[in-house]
Amino acid sequence: MKPLLALACLALAALLLWLQPPRELSALLAVLAWLGICLHAWRQWRTGRSDALRGNGLPVAYASQGGQARTIAERSAAQLRGAGLPAQALPLEALDLRQLPQPARLLLVASTYGDGEAPDHAARFERQLLGQHLDLRPLEYAVLGLGDLQYPRFCAFARRLDRRLRELGATPLFDRLEADRADPAVLRRWQQQLGQLADNAPFSDWQAVDYQPWTLSRRQCLNPGSRGAPVFHLQLRPDAAADWQAGDIAEIGPCQPPERVAVLLARLGLAGEALQDDGHMLAWHLARRQLPDDIQGLIGLSAAQLLEQLPRLPHREYSIASLPGDGHLELLVREMRHPDDRPGLGSGWLCRHAAPGETIDLRVRANPGFRLPADCGPLILIGNGTGLASLRAHLRERARLGRHGHWLLYGERNAVHDRVFAAELEAWQHDGHLARLDLAFSRDQAEPVYVQHLLREAADELRAWLARGASLLVCGSLQGMGHEVDALLHGLLGSAEVERLREAGRYRRDLY
Ligand SMILES: Cc1cc2nc3c(=O)[nH]c(=O)nc-3n(C[C@H](O)[C@H](O)[C@H](O)COP(=O)(O)OP(=O)(O)OC[C@H]3O[C@@H](n4cnc5c(N)ncnc54)[C@H](O)[C@@H]3O)c2cc1C
């Protein structure tokens, strides 16, 4: 339709030049053409908006006071559309939850303003949401809250939206994110979640990560012979002092496999050693860029033009498995593979391509939602697979604080090959740091056994621990384990109690 409109405008301009009609008629025709363009743009906007509401798209609804939430929602929708998902940004008041298709998904970007209030344009929506008694069970949603930590009721509106949607039965796709003054690290996490919704589309970070150089000092496979994907224990050393707490995240800048870069350079006839303005070689830069399979459009470009064309690789996140006092940063990384057997971008780089001794681009990110206060009660730690990384850091932190007597429920595939960190867990069980250890090896019997099954069997014990003030920490896969454990807790304890624990900071999750 757009080319037709452009052609029509050109034809009109040519006609006016040729006929040279009176000025009044020219002006009238120009105004009519302008009105036509406006009408077309408005209809397109309305169609997109109602498509999003009718279920032909994914609504990214925003509540924005100063425009920031709107910008982020529009950016999110554009990114999702680029990955093939028909997403549409729209103001919150344009959303009618009674009209959503079933099942439906909804993304919300919500600013809080003043004393914990909704932005003006969203206030009516909030009143309606609180007054309505809808059954939102078929709805899955995610919330990004924007606010300023200097105000006491930080992200209060986003929290109210989240709580009300849960009360009405909707299921969160991810735990709510809260960005203090548009914290770029939280926005990267949001982007990472958008990536998951779009089948791991290779998004570029909106704002480049300020990585520091770390050295990969050690890498060891922890599950040789496993029928699952290999899991590696990595140790990294910073070039400068670094600090973090249990629960924090390492953001990694992945690199392309060196042979992929070499092949591209050879096909383009460029020298990888050529130094660029910043002192890095061309090959160094290319390793950090998305490289297309079809290079037709790149032939003949200079190195600078080439780098301008190629988007940066997005970062990847890994839970930190150690404490600063351990002397190095440790990760537990599972090597992922694409359906065509190519290694995953981040895990392939860390587990396969990067050689020990090599520099890794890494940035430590605080993860306040998964940190614990020093004086919290005993921990009930629940996880599977590489989710043990963060749980281990928490157990180490509790040991350092002299707080013992925790309960770990952990799931993997087979006892023979997949006993990750077995010696350390046994030692903790022996000296009482772990008062209870439940291991679920899903493939060791005909019927799979997962951590949620062990938790269900221990329901009375769970209630007793919670009554003693225990906190729940859940880390690992969102699909399967995370959802199942959450559903079980709602069933065993009741939704009001789960919400109470969550709000008291006694139910924390880090799922991916
Ligand atoms: C908070 C957080 C903490 C995390 N902690 C850990 C951790 O401690 N350890 C850990 O191992 N991981 C962790 N992860 C996951 C990690 O960030 C990566 O997502 C993971 O390593 C896979 O990324 P990748 O770049 O290797 O694979 P990608 O190249 O992104 O591919 C990921 C997988 O998606 C599938 N896939 C990708 N694209 C497509 C496609 N187009 N079509 C079909 N399938 C596709 C493939 O099967 C592939 O294996 C964490 C994630 C988060 C958000």
Side-chain angles (χ1 to χ4, degrees):
M1 188 69 190
K2 275 180 198 153
L4 271 183
L5 203 66
L7 268 180
C9 289
L10 268 178
L12 180 68
L15 201 71
L16 290 178
L17 271 177
W18 186 54
L19 287 177
Q20 306 257 318
R23 271 206 329 218
E24 292 76 10
L25 184 59
S26 297
L28 180 70
L29 286 174
V31 168
L32 284 176
W34 180 77
L35 282 175
I37 291 170
C38 288
L39 182 70
H40 172 70
W42 181 74
R43 285 176 62 175
Q44 286 231 321
W45 175 75
R46 268 199 43 154
T47 313
R49 198 161 120 151
S50 43
D51 269 1
L53 292 174
R54 268 192 251 109
N56 304 336
L58 170 60
V60 187
Y62 57 83
S64 198
Q65 191 69 22
Q68 194 171 49
R70 177 184 180 156
T71 306
I72 292 173
E74 286 173 348
R75 222 166 173 185
S76 305
Q79 185 156 28
L80 290 165
R81 279 198 301 276
L85 272 185
Q88 183 73 36
L90 71 167
L92 199 55
E93 68 274 18
L95 197 65
D96 184 348
L97 290 174
R98 287 165 310 188
Q99 266 191 22
L100 288 175
Q102 299 190 350
R105 281 187 166 178
L106 166 65
L107 304 182
L108 293 164
V109 184
S111 286
T112 297
Y113 120 98
D115 185 23
E117 290 147 41
D120 295 336
H121 71 96
R124 198 159 138 248
F125 176 90
E126 184 182 19
R127 278 196 304 278
Q128 284 172 346
L129 185 68
L130 294 178
Q132 282 169 335
H133 291 284
L134 301 169
D135 177 4
L136 290 185
R137 266 174 297 180
L139 176 69
E140 292 181 313
Y141 71 98
V143 178
L144 169 64
L146 304 178
D148 186 334
L149 265 175
Q150 285 174 349
Y151 291 88
R153 306 194 61 211
F154 175 61
C155 284
F157 175 52
R159 290 177 189 182
R160 290 199 299 275
L161 280 180
D162 187 16
R163 190 180 321 125
R164 184 62 182 152
L165 290 173
R166 277 177 207 263
E167 279 169 7
L168 296 175
T171 310
L173 287 157
F174 310 102
D175 287 348
R176 183 185 61 248
L177 292 179
E178 296 181 346
D180 173 26
R181 281 162 289 163
D183 180 351
V186 179
L187 297 188
R188 278 200 294 279
R189 183 88 196 263
W190 171 252
Q191 254 198 297
Q192 198 265 340
Q193 296 183 346
L194 300 181
Q196 281 187 34
L197 295 180
D199 281 337
N200 298 298
F203 295 160
S204 265
D205 295 318
W206 290 336
Q207 192 173 330
V209 186
D210 48 343
Y211 299 117
Q212 285 86 45
W214 290 61
T215 304
L216 175 60
S217 45
R218 191 157 179 265
R219 178 171 59 208
Q220 185 194 2
C221 179
L222 293 187
N223 61 346
S226 171
R227 274 186 272 159
V231 171
F232 290 86
H233 180 202
L234 276 70
Q235 288 186 357
L236 296 118
R237 236 186 15 247
D239 281 10
D243 198 20
W244 66 88
Q245 289 183 28
D248 287 352
I249 298 285
E251 295 182 337
I252 297 279
C255 288
Q256 299 282 1
E259 54 281 7
R260 181 122 201 255
V261 176
V263 167
L264 179 74
L265 284 165
R267 287 173 72 194
L268 294 176
L270 291 169
E273 307 77 41
L275 282 183
Q276 304 304 298
D277 289 347
D278 62 356
H280 286 296
M281 290 192 286
L282 176 59
W284 184 95
H285 280 289
L286 287 179
R288 288 158 176 79
R289 303 292 169 129
Q290 295 180 31
L291 305 181
D293 291 328
D294 178 4
I295 62 155
Q296 276 311 310
L298 305 179
I299 293 169
L301 296 183
S302 68
Q305 290 167 330
L306 180 65
L307 294 180
E308 224 164 77
Q309 292 260 323
L310 300 174
R312 283 174 204 282
L313 285 176
H315 79 286
R316 288 289 184 267
E317 312 197 342
Y318 297 92
S319 307
I320 301 176
S322 60
L323 300 177
D326 297 329
H328 37 243
L329 184 148
E330 297 180 33
L331 303 176
L332 199 54
V333 182
R334 188 181 301 279
E335 189 187 336
M336 307 291 281
R337 293 232 161 224
H338 286 259
D340 61 4
D341 210 36
R342 261 182 314 120
L345 180 66
S347 62
W349 166 240
L350 289 173
C351 300
R352 185 161 294 263
H353 306 301
E358 197 159 331
T359 299
I360 305 286
D361 296 338
L362 189 152
R363 177 182 181 275
V364 170
R365 171 161 70 73
N367 190 16
F370 208 59
R371 286 178 171 181
L372 282 172
D375 58 353
C376 67
L379 305 182
I380 305 170
L381 308 113
I382 304 170
N384 67 345
T386 52
L388 188 55
S390 207
L391 302 181
R392 177 193 192 232
H394 276 293
L395 280 167
R396 287 189 161 210
E397 190 172 64
R398 295 295 111 181
R400 189 179 59 79
L401 293 167
R403 293 179 172 265
H404 306 293
H406 309 288
W407 178 7
L408 173 66
L409 297 106
Y410 175 65
E412 251 292 353
R413 275 178 172 238
N414 297 106
V416 189
H417 298 295
D418 302 307
R419 281 184 169 272
V420 175
F421 294 139
E424 193 170 7
L425 297 185
E426 276 163 26
W428 278 336
Q429 195 180 17
H430 205 250
D431 66 16
H433 187 50
L434 277 177
R436 181 166 177 167
L437 174 63
D438 289 299
L439 298 174
F441 290 103
S442 58
R443 311 294 167 95
D444 275 358
Q445 54 285 305
E447 278 297 304
V449 173
Y450 298 111
V451 280
Q452 56 269 26
H453 300 137
L454 302 186
L455 189 63
R456 192 173 50 211
E457 279 167 24
D460 289 341
E461 190 100 351
L462 170 72
R463 289 192 192 93
W465 277 62
L466 289 173
R468 284 199 287 124
S471 295
L472 285 155
L473 285 184
V474 186
C475 190
S477 60
L478 173 67
Q479 301 302 331
M481 196 270 304
H483 283 319
E484 294 289 332
V485 167
D486 192 61
L488 180 68
L489 291 173
H490 278 80
L492 292 176
L493 309 172
S495 295
E497 176 62 4
V498 173
E499 281 316 303
R500 199 187 64 76
L501 290 170
R502 196 191 302 275
E503 283 180 15
R506 288 177 53 201
Y507 175 29
R508 296 172 189 261
R509 315 193 306 161
D510 203 22
L511 302 169
Y512 45 90

